[in-house]
Amino acid sequence: MTSWKCLFTCIVAVGLLSIIAVNTLLKYQQPTVIAANIRTITSRRKLWPFSFLRDQLEEAPAVSLTTNTATTTAARTTMVSLETEEKCRETSNFVFIKTHKTGSTTLRSLTSRFGYFRNLSFLLGKGSIIGHLNSLSLNMKKNAYNFLPPIGVKVGDFSNYRNYNISNIHVQFDEAKMRKLMYPSPDLKYITIFREPVDQWLSNFQYYKGYKKAGLTLSNMSQQLLPFLKSEKAATLGFNKQLRDVGIGSKILNNGSISSLNASIAKLDNLLSLALITEYFDESLLVMKKLFCWSFRDILYVKKRAQPNPIVISDETRQELRRRSWADVVLYEHFLSVLWQRVEEYGPNFQRDLQTFRNLLNDTLTTCVAKSVAEVSNDRYLYIETYPSSNSSAFCWAFVNSRFHMDVEMVRRQGHPSDVRWKKLDY
């Protein structure tokens, strides 16, 4: 009997000590610390169910001999806010299907900044100082030599040219081939950007000097363009380029079938997590921020490759261009409608967040940008280049990304055979 009494006494003592320990933890540890510990644990791939941890915290005070009511209430309030707080994981694996003359270089610059400071690997070609593959196929077996390896892989180790985190270059898009090259993340996202088709065509026509091929001059474009568009020669200029950029082939364009086009657009819609719209760039970025679980800082931007004197045309010329760009018009109007659906789904804080973002953007531009001037590159492209303030921060240098210095450093880091260097950055 004596041994049983001793055993019973020991069990009671251990139980009392456990209760005292729990009470002490809840009495002296701040609820924010408790919540932070729970957040840390639950972030580890949810090895422990959140409900289990919540129950442990809420049940502990009930068995205490004495309870600090204020602390217990605060802890429970913290747990409720954690449970109802929107939870998301930062997107670091995505494909940006880059379109031509849509503001895509601006979007590329901010996505490059995001990935560069997080040491992520970009799908890049070595034929361009900023990594574009352009019309090159994504067939790795055939074109592996033209690619740069991901970070940590030696140049020439072609079997390991895979698991890229980000693609944001001009490339001949093919979803099946692209997916094989990207990191096999279950939340891999695809995005792109579209622009009102007439403005996109005019910008492309001016930037790449298509008017020279057509035998026209910029000084007299408003009078010359419409007659040319109505002639047989106009077909040589190419239209509906946005549709081609996203991988919808010319076969659909040639047969002129609306039903086939709509089916292809529906398939693209299913693939894309978001299609940004140039005319509503800030609104698009805000939707992207929420979708990607990024910060306002991550979506700050400086306009890249904007043209100083865009072509001005008549309403009749615009109508003729819309007629010739009929497929791009269908594409654009579909995804413009989708964007407004996403804005509605964002919730009641959209306008407030949009103003917050624009205020931060204006402050950052004021702080980081010294000047913007019209320049000519390679005796071909005329555009506005932006330069950072003197003695600006590392973030400002990356934010402005003058002459694509950050992109040059990015491709160099992945083995580009260039001697171009840029100052080391910290985010």
Side-chain angles (χ1 to χ4, degrees), residues 114-149:
F114 174 89
Y116 180 80
F117 288 115
R118 288 163 175 78
N119 209 40
L120 301 176
S121 292
F122 291 81
L123 179 66
L124 298 166
K126 69 177 183 180
S128 164
I129 193 60
I130 55 175
H132 289 313
L133 287 164
N134 296 316
S135 60
L136 196 67
S137 167
L138 286 172
N139 187 335
M140 188 60 75
K141 291 182 179 179
K142 181 180 179 181
N143 297 314
Y145 180 78
N146 295 293
F147 289 76
L148 291 176

Side-chain angles (χ1 to χ4, degrees), residues 98-105 130 132 134 170 195 199-214 218 221 237-238 241 245 305 307 311 377-383 404:
K98 196 173 187 299
T99 49
H100 286 81
K101 304 312 297 174
T102 56
S104 65
T105 300
I130 55 175
H132 289 313
N134 296 316
H170 283 305
R195 183 178 183 180
D199 290 336
Q200 185 276 334
W201 188 92
L202 288 170
S203 180
N204 192 79
F205 183 65
Q206 182 175 359
Y207 184 76
Y208 292 105
K209 298 193 175 181
Y211 58 87
K212 286 192 172 183
K213 180 180 178 181
L218 281 177
M221 186 64 62
L237 294 179
K241 187 165 181 55
D245 282 341
R305 299 280 165 156
Q307 297 183 64
I311 296 173
S377 173
N378 299 326
D379 295 322
R380 183 179 180 187
Y381 309 121
L382 177 65
Y383 57 88
F404 303 114

Side-chain angles (χ1 to χ4, degrees), residues 264-282:
S264 296
I265 291 175
K267 182 179 179 181
L268 178 65
D269 197 352
N270 288 332
L271 172 68
L272 295 174
S273 297
L274 176 66
L276 292 84
I277 299 296
T278 309
E279 289 73 21
Y280 302 97
F281 195 63
D282 291 356

Side-chain angles (χ1 to χ4, degrees), residues 14-25:
V14 170
L16 287 173
L17 288 173
S18 300
I19 292 172
I20 292 170
V22 170
N23 183 62
T24 301
L25 173 65

Side-chain angles (χ1 to χ4, degrees), residues 1-10:
M1 291 295 292
T2 302
S3 60
W4 282 104
K5 288 181 179 180
C6 290
L7 179 61
F8 178 77
T9 302
C10 290

Side-chain angles (χ1 to χ4, degrees), residues 67-255:
T67 304
N68 185 322
T69 305
T71 302
T72 304
T73 302
R76 286 177 173 169
T77 301
T78 303
M79 289 305 302
V80 170
S81 66
L82 275 175
E83 190 171 20
T84 57
E85 180 186 67
E86 182 180 2
K87 299 174 183 65
C88 59
R89 178 181 299 175
E90 183 180 87
T91 294
S92 57
N93 298 289
F94 60 90
V95 173
F96 167 35
I97 309 172
K98 196 173 187 299
T99 49
H100 286 81
K101 304 312 297 174
T102 56
S104 65
T105 300
T106 301
L107 185 55
R108 189 207 181 192
S109 187
L110 74 87
T111 55
S112 292
R113 186 181 72 233
F114 174 89
Y116 180 80
F117 288 115
R118 288 163 175 78
N119 209 40
L120 301 176
S121 292
F122 291 81
L123 179 66
L124 298 166
K126 69 177 183 180
S128 164
I129 193 60
I130 55 175
H132 289 313
L133 287 164
N134 296 316
S135 60
L136 196 67
S137 167
L138 286 172
N139 187 335
M140 188 60 75
K141 291 182 179 179
K142 181 180 179 181
N143 297 314
Y145 180 78
N146 295 293
F147 289 76
L148 291 176
I151 295 172
V153 175
K154 292 182 179 180
V155 174
D157 185 7
F158 298 130
S159 62
N160 287 311
Y161 279 26
R162 49 193 171 85
N163 295 336
Y164 296 95
N165 303 109
I166 298 172
S167 173
N168 62 0
I169 55 174
H170 283 305
V171 65
Q172 188 180 86
F173 180 69
D174 182 304
E175 183 203 348
K177 291 184 175 66
M178 180 68 78
R179 195 173 289 276
K180 290 179 180 179
L181 295 173
M182 302 304 293
Y183 183 81
S185 170
D187 62 345
L188 175 68
K189 291 181 173 62
Y190 289 79
I191 62 171
T192 191
I193 182 169
F194 297 120
R195 183 178 183 180
E196 195 283 318
V198 173
D199 290 336
Q200 185 276 334
W201 188 92
L202 288 170
S203 180
N204 192 79
F205 183 65
Q206 182 175 359
Y207 184 76
Y208 292 105
K209 298 193 175 181
Y211 58 87
K212 286 192 172 183
K213 180 180 178 181
L216 309 178
T217 59
L218 281 177
S219 60
N220 202 25
M221 186 64 62
S222 58
Q223 287 77 34
Q224 294 176 336
L225 186 55
L226 182 58
F228 182 84
L229 290 173
K230 291 184 175 181
S231 70
E232 295 181 357
K233 295 180 180 179
T236 62
L237 294 179
F239 297 89
N240 301 299
K241 187 165 181 55
Q242 294 181 83
L243 203 71
R244 292 185 172 93
D245 282 341
V246 294
I248 299 179
S250 57
K251 183 178 180 180
I252 290 176
L253 294 173
N254 291 336
N255 66 30

Side-chain angles (χ1 to χ4, degrees), residues 321-335:
L321 282 171
R322 280 182 65 86
R323 186 185 70 80
R324 287 189 172 273
S325 304
W326 66 274
D328 270 4
V329 170
V330 175
L331 177 76
Y332 174 81
E333 291 182 348
H334 172 85
F335 283 104

